Amino acid sequence: MELVNPILEFKKTCVSYSKQTMAVKYVSAAIERNTITAIMGPSGCGKSTLLRAANLMHALYPNIRVDGEILLNGQNILSMEPIEVRRKIGMVFQRPTPFPTMSIYDNVLAGYSLNGIRLSKSERNEIVEKCLRNVALWDEVKDVLNKKGTFLSGGQQQRLCIARALAMKPEVLLMDEPTSALDPIATKHIEDLILELQKDVTILIVTHNMGQAKRISSRSMFMYLGDLVEYDDTEKMFSNPTDERTRAYLTGKMG
Amino acid sequence: MIMNDMKILQRLYTDKIFKIAVCLFAALTAIPLFAILGEVLIKGYSQLSWSFFTEPTPTAYKAMQAVAAGEPIPGGIANGIIGSVIMLGMATVVAVPIGILCGVYLAENSKKRFAIIVSYITDLLQGTPSVIIGIITYVWVVVPMKGYSAIAGSVALFIMMLPLIIRSTEETVKILPASLKEAGLALGGNNARVTLKVILPSAFGGIFTGILLAVSRVIGETAPLMFTALGCSFIRWDIDKPISAVPLLIWEFFNDPNLQELIWGASLFLLIFVLSLNLTAKYFAKKWNS
């Protein structure tokens, strides 16, 4: 596997919930710019934990410890301010999380208001339209922008959350099983959207759906019990995995 | 088989009897409320008039004259209403921000040692008898200020409201999904902004309900006001002087044979006020939950 222009790099990254349990063990991997990289693995393998560490979500929970380095454009984010990091590295969660008290319009702009950035009316309108068009939601919601975000269907809510993350123009977008709470049609929409987005943003997506990884990602990681077992081009990994555990997982003998 | 059928029938009957018993007991608890409401309504209804709400308490002499002449007692409880509103207003204005901030802190740091201690203290404060809060406020506020005042009364009410607001805020914020806060932080917001723009608005319904319940809980407090606000028989707006309150008036009416008639009007007013606050709170809680 060849990396031309990596943007994000895990260097011996470890995440532990307590002294005894290490959820992620010495993971080293570089993520190529403007590609989609999937992280696969059975439940509890540490894939979400690794992803959340890249957004410094662990800073919320004093019991979680992250060691090693996570580099964004060569800079270690673990020693940066979370606020600064999270503006550059956006995140979309498993369940859609529109802010329940905000309208669709305000949800898209939430990143700005939460950062205390003031925008003119025309700037706001422009960002909202552009971001909602980016996630193919504009035509569906342009007449109901003042309704609450929770008024939308699950798939629409998730697209709204992606629009909200994109509004901050992140360099990397982390997605934690973004379609696992959605039906197949909504999932298809989101997958098409993710493929479309990679020209603007680097996407790192956690999924336990092998089909999804195969459909959208160009590179895949396979994690098992906190170890990064294999990391390769998706095509190569699905056709000819190197590690026995990867093979077992991909063929459904382990899951 | 027949045995089985009998057993099932027996069970069904037991179930039915149990259900009837439960309903009966539930109905029994409603009796005191309706008995109180009925009694107060019947005795107090005739006293309610415009002047009852706009005029202060009559002097004992005037009341005596009216009784002797067979006329209704003049005057009303305006001094008490104004006093109650002033003291509750001041207490609420101070208790709400402090209570909400403290509640949010407790909800978000429930595992920290300091938060656990504060949480225990809140419980203890909530359980402190109001008469003790009255005497303590007397020592802390009335003595240094060299006199009873609306300020002292509102301090006592503030102390009583604080734990109620802290608890309701804490409970409401705790049941919000963690993903809400995470999503806010993931967008680069700092803790303060996420709390103000995402957490508190989402919890607004519960917090508002808690505030209403806290107000309705302390509006009828009499003991702490006896040590602090003392009472006043005319309408007064100064916050550094003794002031009246509706529950204080009820106590005063009870102690003055010439004014006893007025007890029921004042009680009815207080009861209706508290009940409507409670109903409003229920309405908001329901609306917020849906």
Side-chain angles (χ1 to χ4, degrees), chain B residues 81-91 150 154 236-239 243:
Chain B
I81 296 176
I82 287 165
S84 280
V85 169
I86 288 176
M87 286 190 283
L88 276 173
M90 290 198 294
S154 62
R236 186 181 245 168
W237 300 90
D238 312 275
I239 57 169
I243 204 164

Side-chain angles (χ1 to χ4, degrees), chain B residues 193-265:
Chain B
R193 284 216 182 86
V194 172
T195 302
L196 282 177
K197 296 195 166 165
V198 177
I199 303 294
L200 286 183
S202 305
F204 174 79
I207 294 172
F208 187 67
T209 305
I211 293 169
L212 286 186
L213 289 177
V215 171
S216 79
R217 172 80 186 68
V218 301
I219 193 174
E221 280 300 336
T222 322
L225 296 183
M226 288 175 167
F227 296 92
T228 52
L230 190 66
C232 169
S233 59
F234 51 90
I235 293 176
R236 186 181 245 168
W237 300 90
D238 312 275
I239 57 169
D240 56 345
K241 303 257 166 54
I243 204 164
S244 191
V246 180
L248 277 180
L249 282 182
I250 295 177
W251 174 243
E252 283 166 24
F253 294 159
F254 178 75
N255 284 320
D256 190 332
N258 297 306
L259 296 173
Q260 277 186 3
E261 289 277 300
L262 293 172
I263 285 180
W264 300 107

Side-chain angles (χ1 to χ4, degrees), chain A residues 9 55 67 106 126 142 166 180 213 216 249:
Chain A
E9 197 173 345
N55 192 248
D67 294 299
D106 290 336
E126 197 186 310
K142 64 172 186 274
L166 290 176
S180 66
I216 62 175
Y249 181 73

Side-chain angles (χ1 to χ4, degrees), chain A residues 52 55 57 60-61 83 86 91 93 97 99-102 110-111 113-116 164-165, chain B residues 112 178-191 193-194 197-198 201-203:
Chain A
R52 289 163 63 86
N55 192 248
M57 246 335 132
L60 256 82
Y61 306 94
I83 295 173
R86 289 172 188 149
M91 178 132 179
F93 296 84
T97 50
F99 299 131
T101 54
M102 293 187 194
S113 60
L114 287 173
N115 279 293
R164 186 174 69 186
Chain B
K112 279 190 189 156
S179 58
L180 212 55
K181 186 181 180 191
E182 289 184 352
L185 291 172
L187 286 169
N190 60 21
N191 246 316
R193 284 216 182 86
V194 172
K197 296 195 166 165
V198 177
S202 305

Side-chain angles (χ1 to χ4, degrees), chain A residues 2-135:
Chain A
E2 202 184 339
L3 289 169
V4 184
N5 188 6
I7 179 167
L8 191 69
E9 197 173 345
F10 295 97
K11 274 191 166 170
K12 292 183 180 163
T13 306
C14 299
V15 185
S16 39
Y17 287 99
S18 67
K19 280 191 180 121
Q20 295 84 25
T21 50
M22 205 183 251
V24 172
K25 300 167 191 164
Y26 303 97
V27 167
S28 293
I31 310 299
E32 179 70 11
R33 199 179 295 267
N34 290 43
T35 58
I36 300 168
T37 306
I39 311 179
M40 293 182 292
S43 302
C45 69
K47 55 192 189 308
S48 285
T49 307
L50 178 67
L51 191 80
R52 289 163 63 86
N55 192 248
L56 303 187
M57 246 335 132
H58 58 272
L60 256 82
Y61 306 94
N63 56 322
I64 304 178
R65 219 186 114 92
V66 177
D67 294 299
E69 285 180 302
I70 302 175
L71 306 177
L72 175 70
N73 296 320
Q75 234 188 329
N76 187 7
I77 62 167
L78 295 178
S79 53
M80 284 163 73
E81 275 301 313
I83 295 173
E84 203 183 336
V85 173
R86 289 172 188 149
R87 242 187 263 179
K88 293 175 180 163
I89 303 181
M91 178 132 179
V92 175
F93 296 84
Q94 191 167 0
R95 293 196 163 273
T97 50
F99 299 131
T101 54
M102 293 187 194
S103 65
I104 295 170
Y105 187 92
D106 290 336
N107 257 292
V108 179
L109 297 167
Y112 290 93
S113 60
L114 287 173
N115 279 293
I117 302 168
R118 287 183 193 283
L119 299 168
S120 72
K121 178 94 182 141
S122 59
E123 282 173 316
R124 287 202 300 268
N125 290 340
E126 197 186 310
I127 291 170
V128 170
E129 179 168 349
K130 183 165 170 275
C131 294
L132 288 175
R133 276 191 195 284
N134 266 344
V135 299

Side-chain angles (χ1 to χ4, degrees), chain B residues 103-104 106-107 119 165-175:
Chain B
V104 170
L106 292 184
S119 190
I165 296 176
I166 292 175
R167 270 279 172 265
S168 61
T169 305
E170 186 191 349
E171 299 301 325
T172 314
V173 172
K174 256 187 185 165
I175 56 171

